[in-house]
Amino acid sequence: MSRTMSAWRRESYGPAVGMTLEHIAVPVPRRGEVLLRVRATALNAGDVRLMLGDPLLVRPVFGLTRPKHPVRGMEVSGTVVAVGPDVVGAEIGEDVVGELVGGGGLAEYVRVPASRLVPIPPDVSPEAAACLPIAGGTAWQALDLAGVGLAPGTVSRVLVIGASGGVGTFTVQLAALRGAEVWASCGSRNAPLLERLGAVRTFDHRESPLSELPSERFDAVIDVAGGMPLRELQRLVVPGGHVVLVTGDGGRVLGPVPRMLRAAVLSLGSRRIRPLAAKPRPEVLAKLLELVADGRVVPVIDRAYPFAEASAALAQLEAGHTVGKVVVNAP
């Protein structure tokens, strides 16, 4: 194995146009880590936020003046090529998928804690697997937080706002699998896709405002799009229902914090608003892989870019309007 590798880097905060392809040292796995030969990397809105350093609130953690992790990409599938000390449950030559710490996926090799990795079933492609750790995991955790499908035999009516993105397409499918009646807000051109994924009704909240919907219509509202008045979202759920805020939208400085505080105040009644802080959940990832292998969940991939065009993949995500996921294949 070569001592150097190709990686897409940006040493300062800013747009995707500033990403450059460089040759850097191959990382060495530390205690509890493995080294992966990257097969595919799926990109997320979080990659764009960290690339831009937005909001400023995140910079004390991810780098005050420049990013601590100059290589983007946090959802990765790959093959184990080396293991560090005290690694359990990962073997050289095994194909795995997982969520990285901070980034690093837009490179030939990346090191990752073995505890975050799950084996990929033979019937699941590297591109499909890479879409699952964050986007699929967030959708799963959002539905759990809303209580959708947790009680056997119950039927819920769920509204997913911003249903055509990576998290949204998984949320629609998983909610339908849990027996929910799913309504999806999306652009009109994406309505047929969402209906194939399990939505019984689709509409565009920018053309048909949520204010036109009757009060207490849903057991749960999953807000992936953001930007909606919290009281309007709260009005839509039944007493005892939940609004789950998936998006981290907000101001340039404090990001979602003011909205989260307002949500906490409004949640003192019977219609709770709950911001989601999704975490790596390997056990959930394993279940998602099983669903994909069985054909019950289908990762929606808007476009798969070659490695040489990784900066263009980030630029597409930065521009918005991506349907499903954007994936970058290995070099």
Side-chain angles (χ1 to χ4, degrees):
M1 187 172 65
S2 173
R3 294 184 179 181
T4 63
M5 66 177 184
S6 298
W8 284 93
R9 294 165 59 88
R10 202 186 199 292
E11 294 290 347
S12 59
Y13 290 116
V17 69
M19 299 289 293
T20 58
L21 185 60
E22 303 176 12
H23 291 282
I24 61 175
V26 174
V28 177
R30 297 172 295 196
R31 186 175 302 277
E33 294 180 337
V34 304
L35 182 68
L36 298 185
R37 177 69 164 89
V38 176
R39 303 282 301 279
T41 300
L43 300 175
N44 297 276
D47 288 304
V48 173
R49 292 195 184 98
L50 291 179
M51 179 179 69
L52 298 174
D54 179 26
L56 297 177
L57 183 68
V58 306
R59 295 196 182 188
V61 176
F62 294 101
L64 278 175
T65 59
R66 61 180 185 176
K68 291 180 181 178
H69 301 279
V71 180
R72 296 271 50 82
M74 293 185 289
E75 289 181 299
V76 167
S77 63
T79 303
V80 178
V81 294
V83 299
D86 300 330
V87 167
V88 177
E91 300 180 357
I92 292 177
E94 186 175 30
D95 291 330
V96 295
V97 61
E99 179 180 341
L100 304 182
V101 180
L106 293 180
E108 291 183 81
Y109 298 92
V110 68
R111 64 186 179 193
V112 56
S115 60
R116 291 189 172 211
L117 297 173
V118 176
I120 301 175
D123 294 336
V124 179
S125 70
E127 294 84 0
C131 296
L132 298 174
I134 294 178
T138 297
W140 187 291
Q141 292 175 58
L143 293 170
D144 280 355
L145 192 60
V148 176
L150 298 185
T154 60
V155 177
S156 301
R157 179 178 289 138
V158 178
L159 171 61
V160 183
I161 303 174
S164 59
V167 174
T169 51
F170 282 120
T171 304
V172 169
Q173 294 181 77
L174 292 172
L177 282 177
R178 294 185 184 200
E181 177 187 314
V182 184
W183 292 34
S185 173
C186 61
S188 57
R189 69 184 180 92
N190 298 323
L193 167 66
L194 272 300
E195 291 166 2
R196 290 196 300 272
L197 296 180
V200 299
R201 179 172 172 180
T202 59
F203 66 98
D204 188 340
H205 66 266
R206 294 164 298 186
E207 298 177 2
S208 302
L210 298 180
S211 59
E212 297 180 358
L213 293 174
S215 299
E216 301 182 8
R217 184 68 172 176
F218 302 97
D219 299 286
V221 172
I222 312 296
D223 181 19
V224 185
M228 309 295 157
L230 294 179
R231 285 193 180 277
E232 185 64 31
L233 298 178
Q234 194 176 40
R235 180 187 67 82
L236 295 174
V237 297
V238 300
H242 294 89
V243 175
V244 175
L245 307 177
V246 174
T247 178
D249 66 327
R252 170 67 174 156
V253 177
L254 295 178
V257 172
R259 197 166 191 247
M260 292 169 62
L261 293 175
R262 180 167 171 74
V265 172
L266 292 175
S267 295
L268 296 177
S270 63
R271 300 175 179 89
R272 299 195 63 184
I273 304 175
R274 310 185 71 175
L276 173 66
K279 301 177 181 179
R281 296 274 302 276
E283 72 280 9
V284 168
L285 178 55
K287 294 176 182 177
L288 288 166
L289 286 163
E290 290 178 6
L291 291 173
V292 173
D294 292 342
R296 302 176 68 192
V297 167
V298 179
V300 177
I301 298 177
D302 189 317
R303 182 173 174 183
Y305 285 81
F307 185 75
E309 298 177 15
S311 62
L314 275 167
Q316 176 186 336
L317 205 62
E318 184 183 353
H321 310 299
T322 295
V323 179
K325 299 286 292 180
V326 171
V327 174
V328 177
N329 285 312

